Amino acid sequence: MVEIKRIEAQSQRIVQAYAWGEVVWHVWGTHQAAPSSTHASSHEAPLVLLHGGSGSWTHWLRNVEHIAQYRPVWVLDIPGFGDSSVPPDVWDADGLVPYLAEILKATFDGRAVDVMAFSFGGMTVGLLAAAHPECIRSMVLVGVPGLGLFGQTLPMRGMTVDMDATAQRDVHRHNLNAMMFAHADSVTEDVIDLQQANVGRDRMRRRRIARTDVLAKAQARWTCPVHGVWGAQDALYEGTLSQVPKVLTRLTSFTVVPDAGHWVMFERPEAFHAVVDPLLQ
């Protein structure tokens, strides 16, 4: 995908080694090499972006250039996804919490940071903010699970060993339409390429807690401002979207982006930016 190569070429790729493996960051912004300034203004303070399940930094492909115009953007491949190692015996968001705390503290010299996180990444950072509030200065949660509000199981399809490349792409197209997007024309061949590359590097496929209310329970221990952003046609919240602020009562604000599905910041980037820019600047 040409667009991925162009945008990635503008970033600084940072690989960090830990006792349990390596993690990879992609960083955009004029202050990308200086994350540890203790007197950073809001325009200098790093913004951490976390992707969703079966994803990588590319979940934010249509957002990093825009946000980097006004502050440095640090996008992590969450351990177990993308180019980052999977920690031993970790199978879901709750198991990632101590590792993500270690990464943030090491990267930003123990300073609390602002985090915007999508879906699985949002659930993970929400659990982190409950267990390690010292790590998080503010959160923007985008289409997060763990609220106990999922409706019927989505009609997702799986791969079989006898599928050829065309059949596999048809499965990805179907699943993207079923879960991620509101409109079929959002699922281009390039998007299928991106999805295929990301799913192929997902080493945490036993995830189960997204369907529980684990995040709703954790919010009692949050100490930072928290904003929620959802796509109006998020398939995960069909019929229950209006209940989100009633369940996630710690939200400082709750905004619904019209004409967008679960992957709201990719399907409707301009409308998404109009919502989050005032929260991030």
mmCIF file with all atom_site columns, all heavy atoms in Angstrom, residues 11-27:
data_model
loop_
_atom_site.group_PDB
_atom_site.id
_atom_site.type_symbol
_atom_site.label_atom_id
_atom_site.label_alt_id
_atom_site.label_comp_id
_atom_site.label_asym_id
_atom_site.label_entity_id
_atom_site.label_seq_id
_atom_site.pdbx_PDB_ins_code
_atom_site.Cartn_x
_atom_site.Cartn_y
_atom_site.Cartn_z
_atom_site.occupancy
_atom_site.B_iso_or_equiv
_atom_site.pdbx_formal_charge
_atom_site.auth_seq_id
_atom_site.auth_comp_id
_atom_site.auth_asym_id
_atom_site.auth_atom_id
_atom_site.pdbx_PDB_model_num
ATOM 1   N N   . SER A 1 11 ? 8.043  9.053   9.543  1.00 0.00 ? 11 SER A N   1
ATOM 2   C CA  . SER A 1 11 ? 8.142  8.776   10.975 1.00 0.00 ? 11 SER A CA  1
ATOM 3   C C   . SER A 1 11 ? 9.552  8.364   11.372 1.00 0.00 ? 11 SER A C   1
ATOM 4   O O   . SER A 1 11 ? 10.383 8.001   10.527 1.00 0.00 ? 11 SER A O   1
ATOM 5   C CB  . SER A 1 11 ? 7.171  7.663   11.372 1.00 0.00 ? 11 SER A CB  1
ATOM 6   O OG  . SER A 1 11 ? 7.617  6.405   10.889 1.00 0.00 ? 11 SER A OG  1
ATOM 7   N N   . GLN A 1 12 ? 9.772  8.424   12.680 1.00 0.00 ? 12 GLN A N   1
ATOM 8   C CA  . GLN A 1 12 ? 10.978 7.841   13.262 1.00 0.00 ? 12 GLN A CA  1
ATOM 9   C C   . GLN A 1 12 ? 10.563 6.507   13.868 1.00 0.00 ? 12 GLN A C   1
ATOM 10  O O   . GLN A 1 12 ? 9.665  6.442   14.713 1.00 0.00 ? 12 GLN A O   1
ATOM 11  C CB  . GLN A 1 12 ? 11.553 8.755   14.348 1.00 0.00 ? 12 GLN A CB  1
ATOM 12  C CG  . GLN A 1 12 ? 12.781 8.193   15.040 1.00 0.00 ? 12 GLN A CG  1
ATOM 13  C CD  . GLN A 1 12 ? 13.288 9.119   16.146 1.00 0.00 ? 12 GLN A CD  1
ATOM 14  O OE1 . GLN A 1 12 ? 12.764 10.229  16.312 1.00 0.00 ? 12 GLN A OE1 1
ATOM 15  N NE2 . GLN A 1 12 ? 14.267 8.677   16.891 1.00 0.00 ? 12 GLN A NE2 1
ATOM 16  N N   . ARG A 1 13 ? 11.182 5.427   13.438 1.00 0.00 ? 13 ARG A N   1
ATOM 17  C CA  . ARG A 1 13 ? 10.877 4.097   13.964 1.00 0.00 ? 13 ARG A CA  1
ATOM 18  C C   . ARG A 1 13 ? 11.815 3.800   15.123 1.00 0.00 ? 13 ARG A C   1
ATOM 19  O O   . ARG A 1 13 ? 13.036 3.831   14.968 1.00 0.00 ? 13 ARG A O   1
ATOM 20  C CB  . ARG A 1 13 ? 11.021 3.038   12.880 1.00 0.00 ? 13 ARG A CB  1
ATOM 21  C CG  . ARG A 1 13 ? 10.526 1.634   13.268 1.00 0.00 ? 13 ARG A CG  1
ATOM 22  C CD  . ARG A 1 13 ? 10.646 0.703   12.071 1.00 0.00 ? 13 ARG A CD  1
ATOM 23  N NE  . ARG A 1 13 ? 10.009 -0.586  12.303 1.00 0.00 ? 13 ARG A NE  1
ATOM 24  C CZ  . ARG A 1 13 ? 10.617 -1.639  12.839 1.00 0.00 ? 13 ARG A CZ  1
ATOM 25  N NH1 . ARG A 1 13 ? 11.892 -1.549  13.209 1.00 0.00 ? 13 ARG A NH1 1
ATOM 26  N NH2 . ARG A 1 13 ? 9.961  -2.781  13.005 1.00 0.00 ? 13 ARG A NH2 1
ATOM 27  N N   . ILE A 1 14 ? 11.237 3.553   16.280 1.00 0.00 ? 14 ILE A N   1
ATOM 28  C CA  . ILE A 1 14 ? 12.025 3.324   17.493 1.00 0.00 ? 14 ILE A CA  1
ATOM 29  C C   . ILE A 1 14 ? 11.753 1.916   17.993 1.00 0.00 ? 14 ILE A C   1
ATOM 30  O O   . ILE A 1 14 ? 10.594 1.527   18.210 1.00 0.00 ? 14 ILE A O   1
ATOM 31  C CB  . ILE A 1 14 ? 11.671 4.347   18.588 1.00 0.00 ? 14 ILE A CB  1
ATOM 32  C CG1 . ILE A 1 14 ? 12.015 5.770   18.116 1.00 0.00 ? 14 ILE A CG1 1
ATOM 33  C CG2 . ILE A 1 14 ? 12.388 4.024   19.898 1.00 0.00 ? 14 ILE A CG2 1
ATOM 34  C CD1 . ILE A 1 14 ? 11.565 6.859   19.071 1.00 0.00 ? 14 ILE A CD1 1
ATOM 35  N N   . VAL A 1 15 ? 12.815 1.149   18.178 1.00 0.00 ? 15 VAL A N   1
ATOM 36  C CA  . VAL A 1 15 ? 12.710 -0.208  18.707 1.00 0.00 ? 15 VAL A CA  1
ATOM 37  C C   . VAL A 1 15 ? 13.301 -0.224  20.107 1.00 0.00 ? 15 VAL A C   1
ATOM 38  O O   . VAL A 1 15 ? 14.438 0.216   20.318 1.00 0.00 ? 15 VAL A O   1
ATOM 39  C CB  . VAL A 1 15 ? 13.450 -1.220  17.815 1.00 0.00 ? 15 VAL A CB  1
ATOM 40  C CG1 . VAL A 1 15 ? 13.306 -2.639  18.384 1.00 0.00 ? 15 VAL A CG1 1
ATOM 41  C CG2 . VAL A 1 15 ? 12.924 -1.159  16.382 1.00 0.00 ? 15 VAL A CG2 1
ATOM 42  N N   . GLN A 1 16 ? 12.529 -0.704  21.064 1.00 0.00 ? 16 GLN A N   1
ATOM 43  C CA  . GLN A 1 16 ? 12.974 -0.781  22.456 1.00 0.00 ? 16 GLN A CA  1
ATOM 44  C C   . GLN A 1 16 ? 13.063 -2.236  22.880 1.00 0.00 ? 16 GLN A C   1
ATOM 45  O O   . GLN A 1 16 ? 12.168 -3.033  22.591 1.00 0.00 ? 16 GLN A O   1
ATOM 46  C CB  . GLN A 1 16 ? 12.008 -0.046  23.383 1.00 0.00 ? 16 GLN A CB  1
ATOM 47  C CG  . GLN A 1 16 ? 11.902 1.442   23.123 1.00 0.00 ? 16 GLN A CG  1
ATOM 48  C CD  . GLN A 1 16 ? 10.822 2.096   23.968 1.00 0.00 ? 16 GLN A CD  1
ATOM 49  O OE1 . GLN A 1 16 ? 9.861  1.447   24.383 1.00 0.00 ? 16 GLN A OE1 1
ATOM 50  N NE2 . GLN A 1 16 ? 10.961 3.385   24.220 1.00 0.00 ? 16 GLN A NE2 1
ATOM 51  N N   . ALA A 1 17 ? 14.120 -2.575  23.589 1.00 0.00 ? 17 ALA A N   1
ATOM 52  C CA  . ALA A 1 17 ? 14.311 -3.945  24.073 1.00 0.00 ? 17 ALA A CA  1
ATOM 53  C C   . ALA A 1 17 ? 13.980 -4.029  25.555 1.00 0.00 ? 17 ALA A C   1
ATOM 54  O O   . ALA A 1 17 ? 14.409 -3.185  26.356 1.00 0.00 ? 17 ALA A O   1
ATOM 55  C CB  . ALA A 1 17 ? 15.758 -4.372  23.833 1.00 0.00 ? 17 ALA A CB  1
ATOM 56  N N   . TYR A 1 18 ? 13.200 -5.031  25.909 1.00 0.00 ? 18 TYR A N   1
ATOM 57  C CA  . TYR A 1 18 ? 12.869 -5.337  27.290 1.00 0.00 ? 18 TYR A CA  1
ATOM 58  C C   . TYR A 1 18 ? 13.256 -6.783  27.570 1.00 0.00 ? 18 TYR A C   1
ATOM 59  O O   . TYR A 1 18 ? 13.577 -7.536  26.643 1.00 0.00 ? 18 TYR A O   1
ATOM 60  C CB  . TYR A 1 18 ? 11.377 -5.103  27.544 1.00 0.00 ? 18 TYR A CB  1
ATOM 61  C CG  . TYR A 1 18 ? 10.974 -3.659  27.397 1.00 0.00 ? 18 TYR A CG  1
ATOM 62  C CD1 . TYR A 1 18 ? 10.595 -3.138  26.163 1.00 0.00 ? 18 TYR A CD1 1
ATOM 63  C CD2 . TYR A 1 18 ? 11.019 -2.792  28.494 1.00 0.00 ? 18 TYR A CD2 1
ATOM 64  C CE1 . TYR A 1 18 ? 10.254 -1.798  26.017 1.00 0.00 ? 18 TYR A CE1 1
ATOM 65  C CE2 . TYR A 1 18 ? 10.675 -1.448  28.368 1.00 0.00 ? 18 TYR A CE2 1
ATOM 66  C CZ  . TYR A 1 18 ? 10.289 -0.961  27.118 1.00 0.00 ? 18 TYR A CZ  1
ATOM 67  O OH  . TYR A 1 18 ? 9.964  0.370   26.990 1.00 0.00 ? 18 TYR A OH  1
ATOM 68  N N   . ALA A 1 19 ? 13.220 -7.175  28.834 1.00 0.00 ? 19 ALA A N   1
ATOM 69  C CA  . ALA A 1 19 ? 13.617 -8.532  29.197 1.00 0.00 ? 19 ALA A CA  1
ATOM 70  C C   . ALA A 1 19 ? 12.766 -9.581  28.497 1.00 0.00 ? 19 ALA A C   1
ATOM 71  O O   . ALA A 1 19 ? 13.228 -10.692 28.216 1.00 0.00 ? 19 ALA A O   1
ATOM 72  C CB  . ALA A 1 19 ? 13.533 -8.710  30.718 1.00 0.00 ? 19 ALA A CB  1
ATOM 73  N N   . TRP A 1 20 ? 11.528 -9.234  28.172 1.00 0.00 ? 20 TRP A N   1
ATOM 74  C CA  . TRP A 1 20 ? 10.578 -10.184 27.582 1.00 0.00 ? 20 TRP A CA  1
ATOM 75  C C   . TRP A 1 20 ? 10.448 -10.056 26.066 1.00 0.00 ? 20 TRP A C   1
ATOM 76  O O   . TRP A 1 20 ? 9.731  -10.834 25.431 1.00 0.00 ? 20 TRP A O   1
ATOM 77  C CB  . TRP A 1 20 ? 9.194  -9.990  28.214 1.00 0.00 ? 20 TRP A CB  1
ATOM 78  C CG  . TRP A 1 20 ? 8.780  -8.536  28.285 1.00 0.00 ? 20 TRP A CG  1
ATOM 79  C CD1 . TRP A 1 20 ? 9.011  -7.666  29.311 1.00 0.00 ? 20 TRP A CD1 1
ATOM 80  C CD2 . TRP A 1 20 ? 8.114  -7.784  27.273 1.00 0.00 ? 20 TRP A CD2 1
ATOM 81  N NE1 . TRP A 1 20 ? 8.522  -6.417  29.008 1.00 0.00 ? 20 TRP A NE1 1
ATOM 82  C CE2 . TRP A 1 20 ? 7.956  -6.467  27.768 1.00 0.00 ? 20 TRP A CE2 1
ATOM 83  C CE3 . TRP A 1 20 ? 7.603  -8.101  26.015 1.00 0.00 ? 20 TRP A CE3 1
ATOM 84  C CZ2 . TRP A 1 20 ? 7.335  -5.469  27.029 1.00 0.00 ? 20 TRP A CZ2 1
ATOM 85  C CZ3 . TRP A 1 20 ? 6.987  -7.116  25.276 1.00 0.00 ? 20 TRP A CZ3 1
ATOM 86  C CH2 . TRP A 1 20 ? 6.857  -5.804  25.792 1.00 0.00 ? 20 TRP A CH2 1
ATOM 87  N N   . GLY A 1 21 ? 11.114 -9.064  25.453 1.00 0.00 ? 21 GLY A N   1
ATOM 88  C CA  . GLY A 1 21 ? 11.034 -8.900  24.007 1.00 0.00 ? 21 GLY A CA  1
ATOM 89  C C   . GLY A 1 21 ? 11.209 -7.456  23.576 1.00 0.00 ? 21 GLY A C   1
ATOM 90  O O   . GLY A 1 21 ? 11.660 -6.607  24.360 1.00 0.00 ? 21 GLY A O   1
ATOM 91  N N   . GLU A 1 22 ? 10.853 -7.168  22.331 1.00 0.00 ? 22 GLU A N   1
ATOM 92  C CA  . GLU A 1 22 ? 11.007 -5.826  21.765 1.00 0.00 ? 22 GLU A CA  1
ATOM 93  C C   . GLU A 1 22 ? 9.640  -5.208  21.464 1.00 0.00 ? 22 GLU A C   1
ATOM 94  O O   . GLU A 1 22 ? 8.673  -5.919  21.163 1.00 0.00 ? 22 GLU A O   1
ATOM 95  C CB  . GLU A 1 22 ? 11.806 -5.877  20.465 1.00 0.00 ? 22 GLU A CB  1
ATOM 96  C CG  . GLU A 1 22 ? 13.252 -6.298  20.637 1.00 0.00 ? 22 GLU A CG  1
ATOM 97  C CD  . GLU A 1 22 ? 14.035 -6.255  19.339 1.00 0.00 ? 22 GLU A CD  1
ATOM 98  O OE1 . GLU A 1 22 ? 13.402 -6.270  18.253 1.00 0.00 ? 22 GLU A OE1 1
ATOM 99  O OE2 . GLU A 1 22 ? 15.270 -6.211  19.402 1.00 0.00 ? 22 GLU A OE2 1
ATOM 100 N N   . VAL A 1 23 ? 9.597  -3.871  21.556 1.00 0.00 ? 23 VAL A N   1
ATOM 101 C CA  . VAL A 1 23 ? 8.404  -3.143  21.115 1.00 0.00 ? 23 VAL A CA  1
ATOM 102 C C   . VAL A 1 23 ? 8.819  -2.082  20.109 1.00 0.00 ? 23 VAL A C   1
ATOM 103 O O   . VAL A 1 23 ? 9.951  -1.584  20.140 1.00 0.00 ? 23 VAL A O   1
ATOM 104 C CB  . VAL A 1 23 ? 7.634  -2.483  22.281 1.00 0.00 ? 23 VAL A CB  1
ATOM 105 C CG1 . VAL A 1 23 ? 7.104  -3.545  23.229 1.00 0.00 ? 23 VAL A CG1 1
ATOM 106 C CG2 . VAL A 1 23 ? 8.477  -1.467  23.008 1.00 0.00 ? 23 VAL A CG2 1
ATOM 107 N N   . VAL A 1 24 ? 7.891  -1.747  19.244 1.00 0.00 ? 24 VAL A N   1
ATOM 108 C CA  . VAL A 1 24 ? 8.165  -0.806  18.159 1.00 0.00 ? 24 VAL A CA  1
ATOM 109 C C   . VAL A 1 24 ? 7.208  0.382   18.249 1.00 0.00 ? 24 VAL A C   1
ATOM 110 O O   . VAL A 1 24 ? 5.996  0.214   18.377 1.00 0.00 ? 24 VAL A O   1
ATOM 111 C CB  . VAL A 1 24 ? 8.027  -1.487  16.785 1.00 0.00 ? 24 VAL A CB  1
ATOM 112 C CG1 . VAL A 1 24 ? 8.204  -0.475  15.653 1.00 0.00 ? 24 VAL A CG1 1
ATOM 113 C CG2 . VAL A 1 24 ? 9.036  -2.617  16.650 1.00 0.00 ? 24 VAL A CG2 1
ATOM 114 N N   . TRP A 1 25 ? 7.794  1.579   18.205 1.00 0.00 ? 25 TRP A N   1
ATOM 115 C CA  . TRP A 1 25 ? 7.049  2.829   18.117 1.00 0.00 ? 25 TRP A CA  1
ATOM 116 C C   . TRP A 1 25 ? 7.261  3.429   16.728 1.00 0.00 ? 25 TRP A C   1
ATOM 117 O O   . TRP A 1 25 ? 8.329  3.286   16.126 1.00 0.00 ? 25 TRP A O   1
ATOM 118 C CB  . TRP A 1 25 ? 7.570  3.850   19.121 1.00 0.00 ? 25 TRP A CB  1
ATOM 119 C CG  . TRP A 1 25 ? 7.375  3.584   20.563 1.00 0.00 ? 25 TRP A CG  1
ATOM 120 C CD1 . TRP A 1 25 ? 8.218  2.908   21.401 1.00 0.00 ? 25 TRP A CD1 1
ATOM 121 C CD2 . TRP A 1 25 ? 6.281  4.039   21.380 1.00 0.00 ? 25 TRP A CD2 1
ATOM 122 N NE1 . TRP A 1 25 ? 7.722  2.893   22.681 1.00 0.00 ? 25 TRP A NE1 1
ATOM 123 C CE2 . TRP A 1 25 ? 6.535  3.588   22.699 1.00 0.00 ? 25 TRP A CE2 1
ATOM 124 C CE3 . TRP A 1 25 ? 5.125  4.776   21.130 1.00 0.00 ? 25 TRP A CE3 1
ATOM 125 C CZ2 . TRP A 1 25 ? 5.671  3.862   23.761 1.00 0.00 ? 25 TRP A CZ2 1
ATOM 126 C CZ3 . TRP A 1 25 ? 4.262  5.049   22.175 1.00 0.00 ? 25 TRP A CZ3 1
ATOM 127 C CH2 . TRP A 1 25 ? 4.528  4.593   23.476 1.00 0.00 ? 25 TRP A CH2 1
ATOM 128 N N   . HIS A 1 26 ? 6.257  4.161   16.247 1.00 0.00 ? 26 HIS A N   1
ATOM 129 C CA  . HIS A 1 26 ? 6.431  5.075   15.124 1.00 0.00 ? 26 HIS A CA  1
ATOM 130 C C   . HIS A 1 26 ? 6.082  6.470   15.640 1.00 0.00 ? 26 HIS A C   1
ATOM 131 O O   . HIS A 1 26 ? 5.043  6.651   16.279 1.00 0.00 ? 26 HIS A O   1
ATOM 132 C CB  . HIS A 1 26 ? 5.530  4.701   13.959 1.00 0.00 ? 26 HIS A CB  1
ATOM 133 C CG  . HIS A 1 26 ? 6.005  3.503   13.197 1.00 0.00 ? 26 HIS A CG  1
ATOM 134 N ND1 . HIS A 1 26 ? 5.745  2.208   13.599 1.00 0.00 ? 26 HIS A ND1 1
ATOM 135 C CD2 . HIS A 1 26 ? 6.747  3.411   12.060 1.00 0.00 ? 26 HIS A CD2 1
ATOM 136 C CE1 . HIS A 1 26 ? 6.291  1.374   12.753 1.00 0.00 ? 26 HIS A CE1 1
ATOM 137 N NE2 . HIS A 1 26 ? 6.905  2.064   11.803 1.00 0.00 ? 26 HIS A NE2 1
ATOM 138 N N   . VAL A 1 27 ? 6.956  7.426   15.360 1.00 0.00 ? 27 VAL A N   1
ATOM 139 C CA  . VAL A 1 27 ? 6.831  8.754   15.958 1.00 0.00 ? 27 VAL A CA  1
ATOM 140 C C   . VAL A 1 27 ? 6.827  9.815   14.860 1.00 0.00 ? 27 VAL A C   1
ATOM 141 O O   . VAL A 1 27 ? 7.682  9.821   13.978 1.00 0.00 ? 27 VAL A O   1
ATOM 142 C CB  . VAL A 1 27 ? 7.989  9.023   16.947 1.00 0.00 ? 27 VAL A CB  1
ATOM 143 C CG1 . VAL A 1 27 ? 7.787  10.368  17.644 1.00 0.00 ? 27 VAL A CG1 1
ATOM 144 C CG2 . VAL A 1 27 ? 8.104  7.899   17.970 1.00 0.00 ? 27 VAL A CG2 1
#
